[in-house]
Amino acid sequence: MPVDAPHGLIVVPARDVAWDDLRAVFESRADGRRCWCQRYTMRPHESWARVGPEALAARLREHTGTDADDAADGRADEPGGGPVGGPCADLGLRDEPRAHDDPPPASGLVAFLDGVPVGWCAVAPRRAYPRLLRSTRVPWQGRDEDRQDPDVWAVTCFLTRATFGRRGVATALAVAAVEHARQQGARAVEGYPMTTSAALPVELHPGTVAMFAAAGMREVAPRSPRRVAMRVDL
């Protein structure tokens, strides 16, 4: 567990969370209400403005498998299973391992602090992010990678609920994301954080180098002026 993670923080797969809880995290910030974590999933020629926030929110709900009725019994303030082993044990991350040939699970993790939803992290097989595959240079520059490798996962976005920033929530989510991917059968996990602090807050949604280093990742490609690819092999 990251040393700066707040006491009482637990991390839950988004599919086990009520939609109202996940929506509360996104609606707490203007950038969340605009994007709904769809930057890397949008189709060619789509934009946030063209699709619109309601449709983007519906896509997030579909991608995460979140449902207000079905998830009610899996609320993070009522964790039924115990914490998993490994570096996330104290985070309360609960999940079940996935057989190698099963379809990919719904994406994303949600952090709760004393029963309050306080953060979101997008994590899924890397090939689940079409815009990441076709129009983002950072994951691929200077690397010989199979972009369709189903066993490499990617952590692409973080959002911390307004008033809960600078408490270690995002770093805890980065650590939990690696453990979640491990439990789902991933062979490796990557992140593409910012390398500079000279950025607007909204530009820090991919995370920071320090966050991914705390999750056990190392840099695997030359840095661009603002981004770098990081990875941990499991």
Side-chain angles (χ1 to χ4, degrees):
M1 178 177 181
V3 295
D4 58 348
H7 179 71
L9 185 78
I10 62 172
V11 178
V12 182
R15 64 171 177 262
D16 294 336
V17 172
W19 169 243
D20 285 347
D21 286 338
L22 180 56
R23 183 172 60 186
V25 175
F26 278 85
E27 290 185 340
S28 73
R29 293 188 180 273
D31 49 303
R33 295 192 299 271
R34 178 173 67 113
C35 160
W36 293 93
C37 201
Q38 297 303 298
R39 175 180 180 182
Y40 296 114
T41 64
M42 285 193 292
R43 306 176 186 101
H45 310 299
E46 286 188 336
S47 67
W48 291 317
R50 184 174 297 176
V51 178
E54 289 186 5
L56 293 172
R59 289 184 187 182
L60 175 66
R61 187 171 186 174
E62 179 182 1
H63 294 165
T64 57
T66 303
D67 185 89
D69 295 326
D70 294 343
D73 292 337
R75 293 285 296 275
D77 53 350
E78 298 175 359
V84 300
C88 288
D90 292 333
L91 295 179
L93 175 66
R94 68 179 195 278
D95 211 339
E96 296 180 357
R98 176 176 67 92
H100 183 80
D101 294 329
D102 288 348
S107 61
L109 301 173
V110 182
F112 284 77
L113 182 61
D114 297 327
V116 177
V118 296
W120 153 262
C121 168
V123 54
R126 187 175 59 187
R127 66 178 185 177
Y129 299 109
R131 184 166 285 187
L132 183 73
L133 301 184
R134 70 174 180 264
S135 59
T136 305
R137 290 184 302 170
V138 172
W140 320 115
Q141 195 165 12
R143 306 175 67 199
D144 182 16
E145 279 285 305
D146 176 5
R147 301 189 185 196
Q148 294 296 331
D149 188 337
D151 297 325
V152 178
W153 284 45
V155 183
T156 58
C157 182
F158 297 87
L159 183 67
T160 301
R161 189 171 184 170
T163 74
F164 288 91
R166 300 185 181 277
R167 301 194 193 184
V169 172
T171 299
L173 280 163
V175 174
V178 170
E179 184 64 19
H180 172 71
R182 184 199 310 273
Q183 292 181 343
Q184 302 304 313
R187 177 174 55 83
V189 188
E190 295 189 348
Y192 315 106
M194 295 290 287
T195 59
T196 175
S197 59
L200 297 172
V202 66
E203 294 179 301
L204 295 175
H205 71 272
T208 67
V209 171
M211 286 164 50
F212 286 112
M217 295 192 192
R218 60 180 181 86
E219 298 182 23
V220 293
R223 292 188 175 198
S224 76
R226 293 168 63 84
R227 301 281 292 276
V228 68
M230 299 182 70
R231 177 179 175 122
V232 59
D233 293 307
L234 304 175

